[in-house]
Amino acid sequence: MKRGFIILSVITACLLAYAGYQALVVAPTERTMGDVQRIFYYHVPSAWTAFLLFFINFVASVQFLASAKPSRQAVAKWIVIAIAIIGVIAAFLPAVQEQLKSTGMRPSALATTVLMLPVFYFLIGKWFPGQRLDMLAVTAAEVGVVFCTVVLVTGPIWARPVWGIWWATGDIRLTSTLVLWLIYVSYLVLRRFSNSAQTQMLAAALAVFGALDVPLVYFSIWFFRTQHPQPVIGGGGSIDPRMLHILLINWVSFLCFAFLVCWARFRLELLRRQVEDEYAMESLGEAASTGARASLPLKRNAS
Amino acid sequence: MNAIKFLAAAYIATWLIHGTYLTTLVGRFQRVRRELAELGKSGQRRM
């Protein structure tokens, strides 16, 4: 386990260095924006990684809520399958295709996004049973917030020289991303400061509602008028193939980095719960010994 | 020149955010490990 982590750390460090070199030195300079456009190689992969982590948090939370009862589990499974089938069929219906054409989005992009749901749902359910679902949910949310913070910081740094303003007030892409960040920060605050036995369930329910903002952020540039640049993948915008290649290298390196951080955070959560269990056992032991001492005179009296 | 300044600021900010998070993660690991060790010791004393 430890060896695997070290090997992956070395691979990720090499990948990040290579991706950074590609982004800063090799990538062609954009004609209108100049060098400041290179921020895009960190901003966009960070956003995609944050979305993926929030999506994992959503799936783990749904699984956790469903795992309370076997009947609920079966219903959730069939709902996920139905969403995937309806989503894929709908993406290729002529009426929907016509609608998508006006936004510049490819039907395959919509179908792929919808298909991710059952794939992740069944993989997460298989690999993270019981309490591990909750641990995965908190891990994904925390690391997702870090990546979302990077998006919210690098975005305005790019916008200042290009748009002339740090933040376009009222822009749906920017506002919905900020709301997304706030939802997941409140999720983490809830988990950190609530001592109720229902905290895990409440947090899972909040995550399910919070995740509704992810598609809004993701699809907002297709469906609304926004100052934010058009998407580079899935239709709507165009990009130099060399830039796209370097963007994908950066995303892979960021994904490896996120996986590594999640691995460490999940391990920390395992240890933290081990400590909680030990404390619980200790207080149970103390209570039992106090109870035994208290019941001793009673026994004597009885005898 | 101005563009380079913004580019540098974005890259520094990115790694500062990740670095800060990783530092807090290491600190939390150390605290949990210390707590586990103390619990182990107190468990041994009771036995």
Side-chain angles (χ1 to χ4, degrees), chain A residues 16 23-24 35-36 38-39 42 142 146-147 150 153-154 157 160-161 166 257 261 264-265 267-268 271-272 274-275 278-279 282, chain B residues 2-7 9-11 13-15 17-18 21-22 24-25 28-30 32-33 35-36 38-40 42-43 46:
Chain A
L16 282 170
L24 293 173
D35 279 325
V36 80
R38 292 175 200 271
I39 292 175
Y42 271 24
E142 198 174 292
V146 175
F147 277 91
V150 170
V153 170
T154 53
I157 296 175
R160 183 71 184 89
W166 293 101
F257 180 64
V261 179
R265 181 61 186 85
R267 180 100 188 97
L268 173 69
L271 285 175
R272 207 184 60 75
Q274 199 180 328
V275 169
E278 295 264 346
Y279 272 125
E282 198 173 63
Chain B
N2 208 25
I4 294 287
K5 260 198 276 181
F6 281 102
L7 179 63
Y11 275 60
T14 300
W15 289 111
I17 291 164
H18 285 307
Y21 178 65
L22 288 178
T24 63
L25 211 57
R28 280 149 82 189
F29 252 115
Q30 284 172 343
V32 170
R33 287 230 166 91
E35 272 185 75
L36 259 181
E38 277 168 16
L39 277 166
S42 67
R46 271 206 314 277

Side-chain angles (χ1 to χ4, degrees), chain A residues 3 17 82 111 144 151 154 176 229 239 241 259 263 289 295:
Chain A
R3 204 171 158 192
V151 175
T154 53
S176 56
I239 185 173
F259 179 76
W263 187 340
S289 62
S295 64

Side-chain angles (χ1 to χ4, degrees), chain A:
Chain A
M1 195 85 164
K2 204 173 176 183
R3 204 171 158 192
F5 188 82
I6 292 167
I7 292 169
L8 189 65
S9 302
V10 173
I11 292 171
T12 306
C14 294
L15 255 174
L16 282 170
Y18 177 69
Y21 170 74
Q22 291 283 322
L24 293 173
V25 182
V26 179
T29 308
E30 213 268 346
R31 213 180 301 152
T32 46
M33 287 183 266
D35 279 325
V36 80
Q37 182 269 343
R38 292 175 200 271
I39 292 175
F40 154 92
Y41 297 110
Y42 271 24
H43 177 79
V44 177
S46 296
W48 289 347
T49 310
F51 289 159
L52 183 69
L53 289 166
F54 292 147
F55 183 65
I56 290 172
N57 168 272
F58 164 71
V59 173
S61 299
V62 170
Q63 286 260 19
F64 184 74
L65 287 172
S67 66
K69 278 184 191 170
S71 58
R72 243 191 251 173
Q73 242 170 338
V75 170
K77 187 177 85 180
W78 286 110
I79 288 175
V80 166
I81 292 171
I83 290 173
I85 293 170
I86 293 167
V88 171
I89 293 171
F92 294 99
L93 287 176
V96 178
Q97 280 191 333
E98 199 61 38
Q99 187 76 27
L100 291 176
K101 208 180 277 176
S102 64
T103 61
M105 188 184 187
R106 288 195 204 108
S108 57
L110 181 65
T112 312
T113 312
V114 174
L115 268 180
M116 286 288 114
L117 183 64
V119 171
F120 274 80
Y121 189 84
F122 292 112
L123 286 180
I124 286 172
K126 193 174 162 57
W127 290 337
F128 297 89
Q131 276 295 315
R132 284 180 177 240
L133 281 170
D134 184 57
M135 290 155 71
L136 176 69
V138 71
T139 299
E142 198 174 292
V143 182
V145 164
V146 175
F147 277 91
C148 198
T149 310
V150 170
V151 175
L152 285 171
V153 170
T154 53
I157 296 175
W158 170 84
R160 183 71 184 89
V162 177
W163 292 346
I165 44 169
W166 293 101
W167 188 268
T169 315
D171 185 281
I172 186 129
R173 194 29 155 355
L174 276 59
T175 312
S176 56
T177 310
L178 180 63
V179 169
L180 184 71
W181 184 82
L182 287 171
I183 289 170
Y184 281 95
V185 168
S186 55
Y187 170 90
L188 294 176
V189 170
L190 170 73
R191 298 204 66 120
R192 174 75 182 79
F193 294 107
S194 169
N195 289 321
S196 157
Q198 295 293 312
T199 303
Q200 291 179 336
M201 282 289 175
L202 283 173
L206 175 64
V208 171
F209 285 108
L212 295 177
D213 195 31
V214 175
L216 179 68
V217 177
Y218 185 67
F219 292 114
S220 60
I221 38 178
W222 277 294
F223 296 116
F224 300 96
R225 280 187 181 278
T226 164
Q227 209 164 337
H228 192 280
Q230 284 297 299
V232 290
I233 286 181
S238 62
I239 185 173
D240 184 303
R242 286 172 299 166
M243 286 180 172
L244 182 63
H245 177 72
I246 292 168
L247 176 71
L248 292 178
I249 291 172
N250 271 277
W251 190 35
V252 169
S253 66
F254 269 76
L255 275 181
C256 287
F257 180 64
F259 179 76
L260 207 63
V261 179
C262 283
W263 187 340
R265 181 61 186 85
F266 191 82
R267 180 100 188 97
L268 173 69
E269 194 60 24
L270 270 173
L271 285 175
R272 207 184 60 75
R273 293 197 185 198
Q274 199 180 328
V275 169
E276 274 177 12
D277 290 347
E278 295 264 346
Y279 272 125
M281 291 299 284
E282 198 173 63
S283 34
L284 266 177
E286 270 172 24
S289 62
T290 322
R293 254 181 269 136
S295 64
L296 215 57
L298 285 175
K299 277 182 187 165
R300 262 187 219 140
N301 289 344
S303 64

